[in-house]
Amino acid sequence: MKNRDRIIRYYQGTDNGELAARLIDLADSAAKGRPYAVSEFVSPGAVQIGETIQAHAPALVLRTFGGYQGAERVKLAFVSDDYDGPVDFNLTACRVKWDSRYRLLSHRDVLGSLMGLGIGRERFGDIIMQDDGAVILADTALLQYLKQNFTKVAMVSVTVEEMPLSDIAPRQEKVKEIKTTVASLRLDAVASSGFGISRTKAAEAIKGDRVQVNWQPAKGPSQDVQEGDVISLRGKGRMELAQITGTSRKGRIGVLLKRYM
């Protein structure tokens, strides 16, 4: 790809240089004769990198799939524009069941148990929590391993079985709109207003690596955010700075925040 180095340098500034390089290699393999090439699971922010690469490779089409409508973590496929066949994303839905008395098990519990088995985060996608279990989107090759080895979540016994992707309902999120003003567009100020916590606690969360901006680690409390940025706080969910509405006479900045519940 002609602009390989320039694309990698650009994304190095957001700590995504290595991911950009891997995706460029993937796109190159499709451009050199393969009908398509599929990535590992990536965060939503990586889709933008894929779109940038595709814009510099007009002979390729970018497709994304995470197993169901509205998936956050997806796989990217660079597809030759003269290929009209199906794309195998090598993706399977795993139904994890446990006794409904333990319904307080959390997303973090399931994620921690998976990581405890040494499974890289790139090997599985969304974890959808349910009253008596969870659905994990994973590489198809992981299914048998999970059936044999994923037997406990936080000391609770679980079982794993395959389920059809078609059985997964589309993602539905409740959105709470927050119209407010902030002293500045610093990350700690916006996070404080959106998540309903003090600015001091917001700054502590940022310094404690519990906050991401556009699915990348926050750089610090003073980091500026802009319209369209997605801010996530571990344990509190995520929100979008949907609109900057203006400046008051006292110099405060009006913002519209969308909090995803």
Side-chain angles (χ1 to χ4, degrees), residues 29-217:
S29 69
K32 292 176 180 177
R34 292 175 60 183
Y36 60 84
V38 179
S39 76
E40 69 270 23
F41 283 100
V42 295
S43 67
V47 176
Q48 182 186 30
I49 302 175
E51 290 171 344
T52 299
I53 294 169
Q54 189 276 327
H56 288 85
L60 299 178
V61 176
L62 178 67
R63 298 186 193 174
T64 65
F65 186 56
Y68 68 107
Q69 184 179 332
E72 283 199 354
R73 291 182 60 81
V74 298
K75 291 189 174 190
L76 309 183
F78 293 100
V79 186
S80 174
D81 63 359
D82 60 4
Y83 174 73
D84 59 2
V87 173
D88 181 5
F89 282 89
N90 190 32
L91 189 157
T92 296
C94 303
R95 177 82 167 93
V96 183
K97 291 184 178 180
W98 56 72
D99 191 313
S100 59
R101 290 177 297 174
Y102 302 105
R103 64 180 60 197
L104 292 180
L105 288 177
S106 68
H107 183 284
R108 183 182 296 182
D109 293 326
V110 178
L111 176 60
S113 296
L114 285 169
M115 301 292 281
L117 289 175
I119 302 172
R121 191 64 182 93
E122 74 282 356
R123 300 291 307 280
F124 57 96
D126 286 0
I127 300 171
I128 306 167
M129 299 303 297
Q130 300 177 336
D131 286 343
D132 61 345
V135 175
I136 301 171
L137 284 303
D139 283 343
T140 300
L142 270 181
L143 178 62
Q144 291 304 318
Y145 180 82
L146 291 175
K147 283 183 175 182
Q148 295 170 9
N149 298 280
F150 191 49
T151 58
K152 288 186 180 296
V153 173
M155 304 305 294
V156 175
S157 295
V158 304
T159 59
V160 178
E161 61 185 27
E162 185 176 7
M163 66 177 286
L165 294 175
S166 58
D167 285 356
I168 305 176
R171 185 186 188 92
Q172 293 184 337
E173 292 182 304
K174 295 180 180 178
V175 180
K176 177 182 178 182
E177 291 194 349
I178 303 169
K179 293 181 179 179
T180 187
T181 62
V182 291
S184 73
L185 292 177
R186 281 174 51 123
L187 176 58
D188 57 354
V190 176
S192 170
S193 293
F195 292 116
I197 58 177
S198 71
R199 192 160 174 175
T200 299
K201 287 189 175 180
E204 289 173 352
I206 295 165
K207 293 175 182 177
D209 297 326
R210 294 191 288 124
V211 177
Q212 292 186 330
V213 179
N214 298 328
W215 296 276
Q216 298 302 314

Side-chain angles (χ1 to χ4, degrees), residues 72 171-180 190-197 229-243 255-261:
E72 283 199 354
R171 185 186 188 92
Q172 293 184 337
E173 292 182 304
K174 295 180 180 178
V175 180
K176 177 182 178 182
E177 291 194 349
I178 303 169
K179 293 181 179 179
T180 187
V190 176
S192 170
S193 293
F195 292 116
I197 58 177
D229 281 349
V230 176
I231 303 166
S232 56
L233 170 58
R234 193 182 309 155
K236 289 282 190 178
R238 61 187 170 86
M239 67 175 178
E240 178 188 355
L241 175 51
Q243 187 179 358
V255 293
L256 171 62
L257 306 174
K258 289 185 177 181
R259 175 89 179 269
Y260 297 91
M261 312 301 285

